[in-house]
Amino acid sequence: MLVRLLWKPLPESWPQVAPRRPAGLRGLVIRIRGKAAGMSRDDDVERRMRRGAMQAIVRESFQQTVAEQDGEHRGPAVFAEAWKARLSAVLAQESVEVTGWGEIVIAELDTDLGWSLYEAASRARAEAIARAVGTPGRRREADDGPTVSYEFSIAAGEEGSLGRVRYAICEPCGVGLLKKISFSPEWQCCGFGTLALRELETRHPGLTWYTTGQYAHAQGFYQRYRRRSTSPWTADQRACPHFDSLSATASAG
Ligand SMILES: [Zn+2]
């Protein structure tokens, strides 16, 4: 939904018709395609351009806010406010340079459309964050020895996969090894790291968990999580002898 609102061509009459209905947009597109009469082609093209330009502004303000996440680490609510402030600042200008569009004169645009778009996309993001769950685990390639490697996604309905978790367990030794958690930039700082770690503990209760290749910025995360978890979540690379070759590979990557 977030992607559809910010990246796909908007249906002509959006958002007048039932923007809250998840399946509403598709029917709308078909109806608009069928409705040819009533306006000249030039008006049609110009209006579409203006709507596209407004969408590009909302999208670019979103992307710029996402780009700040490395330094700002904003949680969902604070992110929404920062995005809103950025959009507000852009729309207060007389004109703005937008990637792929050149200079856009704000007065020629429908700013209400921009704010509707912001509200809907912001809501879609919040809903995806609230709804995100771990998908069923898939076994990865066969391991040597007793270790078993798995992968699952953190996904939210229509948004699809928001990130990926790779790990392995060694039942005989009672240990689990988190190999990688990766989320695309727009889904950073949404609590999915915590969600992923909880999933691991729920799926394989009673294991002691280790991590590999911890990035410097993730150290604090594991330390905070450790306080609420019964598993030590240690960064010790020697989870058990069976992971030796695996740990070396993960650290190198
Ligand atoms: Zn082992």
Side-chain angles (χ1 to χ4, degrees):
M1 193 66 181
L2 182 66
V3 169
R4 196 194 290 180
L5 285 166
L6 296 184
W7 272 270
K8 308 277 190 218
L10 282 178
E12 177 117 14
S13 61
W14 193 94
Q16 272 76 22
V17 182
R20 279 166 198 272
R21 264 176 46 216
L25 289 179
R26 198 166 303 158
L28 200 62
V29 175
I30 293 162
R31 228 181 311 144
I32 285 157
R33 279 191 191 135
K35 183 186 80 174
M39 73 188 72
S40 83
R41 185 163 280 272
D42 285 352
D43 286 352
D44 197 22
V45 168
E46 202 190 312
R47 193 165 53 241
R48 247 198 335 259
M49 288 286 288
R50 280 202 298 263
R51 291 170 64 81
M54 191 68 243
Q55 185 188 35
I57 288 174
V58 177
R59 179 172 62 236
E60 190 149 287
S61 64
F62 173 73
Q63 288 172 310
Q64 286 167 348
T65 313
V66 167
E68 290 173 346
Q69 281 294 69
D70 272 349
E72 298 289 343
H73 307 293
R74 292 175 174 125
V78 180
F79 179 93
E81 284 307 309
W83 178 15
K84 189 177 188 173
R86 189 175 274 279
L87 179 59
S88 188
V90 170
L91 296 181
Q93 296 172 36
E94 272 183 30
S95 68
V96 61
E97 283 282 338
V98 177
T99 315
W101 288 81
E103 191 176 18
I104 297 173
V105 177
I106 300 294
E108 290 176 2
L109 301 180
D110 176 4
T111 51
D112 285 348
L113 172 72
W115 286 117
S116 299
L117 207 47
Y118 163 80
E119 292 294 342
S122 202
R123 194 165 55 230
R125 187 174 189 266
E127 282 173 4
I129 291 165
R131 261 195 242 128
V133 290
T135 61
R138 280 190 304 121
R139 264 198 79 162
R140 288 169 57 78
E141 71 284 355
D143 299 273
D144 296 332
T147 62
V148 184
S149 297
Y150 292 98
E151 176 176 313
F152 66 88
S153 293
I154 299 293
E158 199 184 348
E159 299 295 342
S161 175
L162 313 178
R164 213 163 56 127
V165 183
R166 287 171 50 198
Y167 68 100
I169 61 169
C170 182
E171 287 280 6
C173 301
V175 301
L177 180 68
L178 174 63
K179 288 150 84 176
K180 193 166 189 181
I181 307 184
S182 45
F183 295 104
S184 51
E186 62 265 41
W187 300 107
Q188 305 281 351
C189 310
C190 295
F192 297 153
T194 301
L195 177 62
L197 264 50
R198 258 191 222 124
E199 282 286 318
L200 294 180
E201 291 176 348
T202 307
R203 291 173 190 213
H204 307 280
L207 299 186
T208 299
W209 287 93
Y210 295 77
T211 60
T212 64
Q214 284 194 78
Y215 312 103
H217 71 262
Q219 290 282 1
F221 166 71
Y222 288 108
Q223 275 160 18
R224 283 193 302 280
Y225 188 85
R226 209 169 284 144
R227 284 184 221 132
R228 303 189 303 260
S229 166
T230 52
S231 188
W233 280 101
T234 162
D236 185 347
Q237 301 273 310
R238 283 185 62 88
C240 76
H242 307 109
F243 279 123
D244 273 2
S245 59
L246 222 143
S247 302
T249 314
S251 310

